[in-house]
Amino acid sequence: MARAHYDFAVIGAGMAGASIAAELAPHASVLVLEAEDAPGYHSTGRSAAFWEECYGGPGVVPLTLASGNYLREHGFLSPRGALYVGRHQDRGKLDAFVESFSGTGVTIQRLGREELTQRVPHMREEWCDAIWEPACADIDVAGLHQHYLKAVKQVGAKIVCRARVALLNRTAEGWEAITERGDSYSATTIVNAAGAWADSVARLAGARPLGIDPKRRTVVQLRVSPEAVSDQPLVLDINGAFYFKPDNGRLWLSPHDEVPTEACDASPEEIDVARVIDRFQQVTDWDIEAVERRWAGLRSFAPDRLPVYGPDPEMSGFAWFAGQGGFGIQTAPAAARLGAQIMLGQGADELTSQIDRAVYSPSRFHEAAILAGG
């Protein structure tokens, strides 16, 4: 029997791979190769699960805002609200933050101490200034991921787990992908949706790595007294030293860290857990009764911290869908639609009409290398 040949072989079945595969599959034959036993084991399964308009910076806002309506219409968002908080000495940073998002379509407003403590009563006195973002919401990450995996399967695309790609060989048809188990698959185009492993996959194909670096982020779940109120907002330090949000009577707390690491099965370091608990106790008057859980996940960034979507300018038949930092889940609907339109040679639709696809092209790194003489 002849081996099946696919138009696209997507490497990775986390949120990135599942969403781009779901958008490609109605128009082309698609194979998804996932290294782990089940999709979403790494970053997707360890997300702090919020949609926040400012997260990722102004360059990510068009993707976030475009995705918001899709997520709401499909029932994946629950209202939360977000507060960026600071002290007297942070007012300049808060002012600059507001200015940086001017004209982007983001809805934010300044609050004083009284309005801040109405929303989060346990903030210590020196935390007196804030920015309120009312549109922030919790994301049903598992539901969204399953939504895309189901869409992939409904149109007959194939998902293969325990299929870590070990070799990518050029063929007359495009590519042969050989897994560590020795299985072989044929495709015209490779879509690199491998997250923290994106540069490693590029090297397998002989493509130039783009400098997509994995970073570790730690989260702990605290039982506090009094119990965290379920409708309190997400709270983020304007200096990036912590964030926390309630979850079923508990608090999820992170040092908002980005610790350089190898692509791996990330686990929390005790020093990071201790550091963020110390910060939390300096910021709030909650009593910590127990650290109930701790975990770490990877987020991967391109050098300019913007995502990378589209064909590699030097390697034909090799496309990128990577570098999505910590915002890949909240931008998934618009990003996947945009990425598929680019790879299929389609124009924009209502979801992507306000997004400048050139901003996210991998060509920007090759052009920079040429200008630098690299």
Side-chain angles (χ1 to χ4, degrees):
M1 181 182 295
R3 178 176 61 176
H5 179 81
Y6 298 88
D7 295 318
F8 294 94
V10 178
I11 299 180
M15 191 67 77
S19 61
I20 189 66
E23 291 289 348
L24 290 169
H27 310 282
S29 57
V30 175
L31 167 72
V32 182
L33 298 175
E34 167 57 43
E36 304 297 344
D37 292 347
Y41 175 75
H42 291 286
S43 298
T44 299
R46 309 179 197 194
S47 167
F50 54 78
W51 180 89
E52 197 262 287
E53 289 179 318
C54 300
Y55 202 64
V60 178
V61 167
L63 296 165
T64 301
L65 295 183
S67 296
N69 286 338
Y70 183 101
L71 293 169
R72 290 187 195 93
E73 290 168 2
H74 288 80
F76 296 120
L77 295 185
S78 303
R80 169 67 59 194
L83 281 170
Y84 283 85
V85 297
R87 297 152 294 184
H88 285 293
Q89 62 264 36
D90 299 320
R91 284 182 174 168
K93 286 189 176 181
L94 289 160
D95 290 339
F97 184 93
V98 172
E99 179 63 27
S100 70
F101 287 97
S102 176
T104 63
V106 166
T107 301
I108 51 179
Q109 66 183 95
R110 289 296 293 272
L111 301 181
R113 168 72 184 175
E114 182 177 349
E115 295 166 303
L116 167 59
T117 54
Q118 286 174 356
R119 290 171 170 82
V120 187
H122 299 283
M123 300 296 292
R124 295 192 184 277
E125 187 175 356
E126 61 267 30
W127 297 86
C128 58
D129 212 345
I131 296 168
W132 173 239
E133 185 197 314
C136 179
D138 292 342
I139 303 178
D140 178 1
V141 177
L144 180 62
H145 191 214
Q146 288 302 314
H147 165 80
Y148 282 124
L149 292 172
K150 182 179 179 181
V152 170
K153 295 173 183 176
Q154 281 181 332
V155 292
K158 185 175 183 179
I159 301 174
V160 184
C161 293
R162 295 184 293 279
R164 185 179 301 276
V165 175
L167 293 171
L168 288 171
N169 297 324
R170 279 292 198 181
T171 69
E173 295 177 305
W175 296 93
E176 177 189 32
I178 302 174
T179 71
E180 290 181 348
R181 294 156 61 98
D183 299 319
S184 176
Y185 301 91
S186 175
T188 301
T189 299
I190 297 295
V191 179
N192 183 2
W197 287 263
D199 270 4
S200 296
V201 169
R203 292 185 185 96
L204 290 178
R208 188 195 305 212
L210 298 184
I212 295 180
D213 290 328
K215 311 284 187 182
R216 186 181 72 243
R217 173 151 299 175
T218 300
V219 183
V220 297
Q221 178 176 296
L222 304 177
R223 186 174 77 244
V224 295
S225 179
E227 185 175 282
V229 178
S230 61
D231 63 355
Q232 286 181 348
L234 167 70
V235 177
L236 306 101
D237 174 28
I238 193 63
N239 294 296
F242 63 83
Y243 66 75
F244 59 84
K245 58 172 276 192
D247 183 77
N248 294 319
R250 304 301 194 252
L251 277 176
W252 284 10
L253 170 68
S254 172
H256 215 160
D257 49 346
E258 293 179 0
V259 181
T261 183
E262 297 296 320
C264 64
D265 185 358
S267 59
E269 298 284 345
E270 287 303 320
I271 185 64
D272 296 324
V273 173
R275 184 180 295 119
V276 73
I277 289 174
D278 179 64
R279 289 176 187 169
F280 181 74
Q281 291 175 320
Q282 294 178 40
V283 173
T284 79
D285 61 11
W286 263 302
D287 292 326
I288 298 174
E289 296 185 335
V291 179
E292 295 184 328
R293 293 174 56 208
R294 64 196 76 196
W295 67 95
L298 298 181
R299 56 205 51 236
S300 48
F301 294 90
D304 61 2
R305 298 181 70 86
L306 293 177
V308 187
Y309 308 140
D312 188 280
E314 296 177 346
M315 180 65 66
S316 63
F318 187 85
W320 295 82
F321 194 71
Q324 300 194 80
F327 46 81
I329 292 171
Q330 72 173 37
T331 61
R337 183 72 56 81
L338 179 69
Q341 289 167 347
I342 294 170
M343 295 174 203
L344 294 165
Q346 298 175 344
D349 63 5
E350 184 178 359
L351 185 60
T352 60
S353 62
Q354 301 302 309
I355 301 171
D356 182 357
R357 61 180 61 186
V359 172
Y360 310 113
S361 170
S363 298
R364 67 191 192 268
F365 298 109
H366 295 267
E367 292 163 359
I370 291 170
L371 289 173

